């Protein structure tokens, strides 16, 4: 049976950022946000010896596993793996414009072949896990609503329930993945229109939501929002989400946050780089004045792999700075 979960506030998949460690921190900070893994190529998911480290999900639900791929058998296997690792959802990436991803025939270039995307979604579908899509509005420099509508018309035939739309085109040559997140203009209007056409599909709006107030206001109109770079810059914003978006108590930044996080990462030292383990938490210094001494001590302890000392220092830091 598929679990009913809220996708009102989603943290976008971000390669190099939404690691299992970051997701642990996000979950400590917000009970209700819906989380995503980084995009994992189906081949890595199926064959990688370090699969455990890449997709570990320590009951940080609700959470989606995002995959990149277009080979039907691989996608079906990926969906089974997502179930085994207790994910709530498997999501197909049809938005990444990078050259490497195009070479592997997945990501945004798949928008050129809507029938293949439909087949891919069908390969992911089963009665245990929700199969969803994350796409762009279209390809190239010109916005074209008809193209987007025809693409969704085809995908809707799968019975899909949730589609995340990064509300701008992808430009497949001439600009970088970074440029592809700023240069093509946003059009929330396309998402407004398509959601009116398909009331049975939940369209989750993504792109350019750079403040929680903006997320809150868009939620008056859209059933869900997905936020990426705002959280990448400062994950501690998530401590406001339960209160602002879900009318629950917000999380305080205290010793328990630090303890819970270290409890998860300590056993991973030796299997994973100390930087990858700690980097999500080190955003705690974001825009807090006079943190330099702490940062430099932590750097020294990181070189010596001294997680216990780093934990003690961060506990001292949160009590001294009173970050709530
Ligand atoms: C560093 C970085 C890595 C990203 N990696 C992925 C990814 O793995 N899969 C994906 O679908 N989108 C990826 N994205 C795109 C985001 O999910 C999101 O669609 C985009 O950043 C727009 O949302 P925002 O304006 O809230 O940042 C990435 C974005 C960034 C900044």
């Amino acid at each position: 049976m598929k679990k009913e979960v809220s996708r009102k506030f989603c943290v976008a998949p971000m390669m190099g950022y939404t690691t299992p460690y970051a997701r642990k921190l996000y979950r400590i900070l917000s009970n209700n946000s819906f989380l995503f893994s980084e995009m994992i190529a189906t081949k890595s998911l199926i064959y990688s010896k370090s699969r455990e480290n890449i997709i570990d999900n320590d009951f940080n639900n609700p959470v989606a596993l995002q995959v990149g791929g277009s080979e039907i058998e691989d996608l079906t296997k990926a969906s089974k793996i997502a179930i085994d690792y207790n994910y709530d959802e498997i999501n197909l990436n049809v938005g990444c414009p990078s050259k490497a991803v195009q070479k592997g025939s997945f990501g945004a270039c798949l928008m050129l072949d809507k029938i293949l995307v439909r087949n891919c979604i069908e390969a992911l579908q089963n009665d245990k896990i929700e199969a969803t899509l994350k796409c762009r509005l279209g390809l190239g420099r010109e916005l074209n609503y008809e193209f987007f509508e025809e693409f969704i018309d085809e995908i809707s035939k799968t019975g899909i329930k949730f589609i995340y739309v990064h509300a701008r085109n992808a430009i497949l040559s001439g600009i970088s993945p970074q440029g592809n997140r700023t240069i093509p203009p946003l059009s929330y209007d396309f998402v407004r229109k398509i959601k009116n056409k398909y009331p049975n599909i939940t369209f989750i709006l993504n792109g350019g939501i750079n403040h929680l107030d903006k997320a809150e206001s868009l939620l008056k109109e859209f059933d869900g929002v997905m936020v990426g770079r705002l959280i990448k810059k400062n994950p501690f914003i998530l401590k406001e989400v339960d209160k602002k978006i879900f009318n629950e108590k917000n999380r305080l930044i205290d010793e328990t946050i630090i303890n819970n996080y270290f409890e998860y990462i300590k056993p991973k030292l030796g299997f994973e780089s100390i930087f990858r383990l700690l980097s999500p938490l080190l955003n705690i210094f974001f825009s807090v004045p006079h943190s330099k001494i702490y940062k430099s001590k932590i750097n020294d302890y990181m070189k010596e792999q001294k997680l216990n000392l780093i934990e003690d220092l961060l506990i001292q830091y949160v009590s001294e700075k009173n970050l709530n």
Side-chain angles (χ1 to χ4, degrees):
M1 277 289 284
K2 294 173 193 167
K3 279 176 261 167
E4 290 276 327
V5 293
S6 168
R7 290 167 178 82
K8 204 167 157 191
F9 187 91
C10 307
V11 181
M14 288 180 282
M15 282 183 77
Y17 290 89
T18 50
T19 61
Y21 320 111
R23 284 185 268 127
K24 170 57 68 185
L25 179 66
Y26 299 167
R27 180 56 68 225
I28 293 171
L29 294 168
S30 162
N31 284 331
N32 297 295
S33 299
F34 187 83
L35 306 180
F36 270 74
S37 71
E38 314 168 76
M39 178 187 71
I40 321 279
T42 48
K43 296 276 181 223
S44 314
L45 192 62
I46 298 165
Y47 301 109
S48 170
K49 290 202 176 86
S50 51
R51 177 161 82 200
E52 203 64 44
N53 281 351
I54 309 173
I55 67 160
D56 186 38
N57 171 30
D58 186 43
F59 302 103
N60 293 322
N61 304 69
V63 58
L65 177 67
Q66 190 191 56
V67 292
S70 59
E71 289 177 34
I72 299 302
E73 272 183 29
D74 287 353
L75 290 165
T76 303
K77 283 183 193 158
S79 198
K80 295 207 172 91
I81 294 171
I83 295 167
D84 290 346
Y85 280 76
N86 188 34
Y87 280 81
D88 300 278
E89 170 179 322
I90 184 147
N91 174 268
L92 184 69
N93 179 323
V94 182
C96 179
S98 88
K99 284 270 170 281
V101 158
Q102 286 183 56
K103 223 169 149 196
S105 301
F106 55 97
C109 65
L110 291 180
M111 284 196 85
L112 288 169
D113 191 345
K114 55 187 186 218
I115 311 253
L116 175 59
V117 178
R118 177 184 164 186
N119 292 337
C120 291
I121 295 292
E122 281 168 356
L124 294 173
Q125 284 173 325
N126 59 59
D127 59 1
K128 294 209 175 72
I129 194 164
E130 207 63 63
T132 69
L133 174 74
K134 180 167 181 273
C135 65
R136 299 270 185 145
L137 297 178
L139 298 171
R141 292 190 181 262
E142 301 298 321
L143 279 166
N144 177 347
Y145 182 73
E146 269 167 33
F147 175 90
F148 178 56
E149 186 177 12
E150 282 168 15
F151 178 78
I152 300 294
D153 286 345
E154 192 59 41
I155 304 306
S156 71
K157 295 175 188 162
T158 61
I160 195 166
K161 295 259 172 36
F162 302 93
I163 300 181
Y164 305 81
V165 187
H166 182 178
R168 51 163 61 91
N169 277 7
I171 299 174
L172 295 182
S173 61
I175 62 171
S176 65
Q178 251 163 312
N180 260 296
R181 290 178 210 125
T182 50
I183 295 167
L186 288 163
S187 172
Y188 293 170
D189 260 352
F190 280 25
V191 188
R192 272 186 197 106
K193 268 190 179 165
I194 204 77
K195 95 182 184 65
N196 287 337
K197 177 165 181 182
Y198 287 106
N200 293 332
I201 301 177
T202 301
F203 288 91
I204 290 138
L205 183 72
N206 170 238
I209 304 173
N210 51 11
H211 202 285
L212 274 193
D213 291 344
K214 188 168 174 185
E216 215 182 347
S217 129
L218 285 164
L219 280 169
K220 292 187 186 125
E221 233 191 309
F222 294 90
D223 297 321
V225 291
M226 173 182 261
V227 178
R229 284 163 290 182
L230 179 68
I231 306 300
K232 168 177 170 276
K233 209 161 122 194
N234 180 13
F236 285 85
I237 282 181
L238 283 170
K239 81 179 178 65
E240 310 291 333
V241 165
D242 286 359
K243 183 167 166 203
K244 263 203 146 112
I245 311 283
F246 295 93
N247 293 320
E248 287 181 10
K249 267 172 76 178
N250 69 330
R251 193 73 173 80
L252 302 177
I253 299 187
D254 58 11
E255 187 174 335
T256 5
I257 290 191
I258 309 292
N259 288 146
N260 289 351
Y261 188 75
F262 275 83
E263 198 180 307
Y264 178 63
I265 64 164
K266 273 183 193 164
K268 316 274 178 193
L269 190 65
F271 305 99
E272 184 61 276
S273 88
I274 192 162
F275 179 77
R276 217 168 117 89
L277 291 176
L278 277 174
S279 61
L281 191 62
L282 296 184
N283 284 293
I284 200 163
F285 297 117
F286 184 82
S287 76
V288 181
H290 313 299
S291 304
K292 224 171 170 181
I293 296 177
Y294 281 98
K295 283 193 216 167
S296 116
K297 268 195 185 168
I298 286 179
N299 256 331
D300 292 343
Y301 291 155
M302 275 170 83
K303 283 182 206 139
E304 297 160 25
Q305 308 266 313
K306 289 186 169 145
L307 272 187
N308 283 336
L309 293 182
I310 298 173
E311 182 179 11
D312 293 345
L313 199 63
L314 284 169
I315 288 171
Q316 192 188 326
Y317 177 78
V318 292
S319 77
E320 183 192 303
K321 296 283 177 187
N322 211 358
L323 299 176
N324 304 309

